[in-house]
Amino acid sequence: MWFDPICPWAWMTSRWLMEVESLRGLNVTWSVMSLAVLNEHRHDLDAAYRARMDEAWGPVRVIIAAAEAHGHGVVKPLYDAMGTRIHLRRMSDFDAVIRESLEEVGLPAALAKEAHHKKFDAALHRSHKRGISLVGTEVGTPIISVAGVAFFGPVVTPAPKGEDALRLWDGCVLVASTPGFFELKRTRTLGPIFD
């Protein structure tokens, strides 16, 4: 799965995948995709969304920096810590989110400075490109890859549990095995339900 920690839909998908992971014994690989990278050359964004994208660099830069310095195993715990603060605690100060998350995960506080530097942007772009190259540029986050076929989504709320989670997973496996399958979509009528 490719995620951006600021995306509530990626958060919902990650909670669903964690459920499937525990029930089916899957081993999910967690990777960063960046809404800031995705939108960095777009000039048609409204001012509020552009400001949000400017702030969105911080969390992904820190996750990439942490992975480069401490190994890929820190990606998921750091994502969980950041996502809990952003989506469940509704913290909007990303510098505070980063500081608290690094402390929770036991990573050096000095990594927080990477939120405002471009030192790891090449690695961030590579991680982003790995995900987006599987699905094309007309999508955002989350991206999942199932049996070698990648999709944007699933966009789902609330995150399914138990048998519902497994049915959705089985559906993803089914469509991934269908040659020529590209898209299912409908208009969202609910925002993310965090429970």
Side-chain angles (χ1 to χ4, degrees), residues 49-63:
Y49 194 72
R50 169 53 58 204
R52 183 76 167 160
M53 290 302 96
D54 291 345
E55 294 172 347
W57 286 96
V60 290
R61 282 175 170 161
V62 170
I63 292 174

Side-chain angles (χ1 to χ4, degrees), residues 39-54:
N39 290 292
E40 71 182 320
H41 298 298
R42 290 190 55 194
H43 302 290
D44 59 337
L45 303 178
D46 68 52
Y49 194 72
R50 169 53 58 204
R52 183 76 167 160
M53 290 302 96
D54 291 345

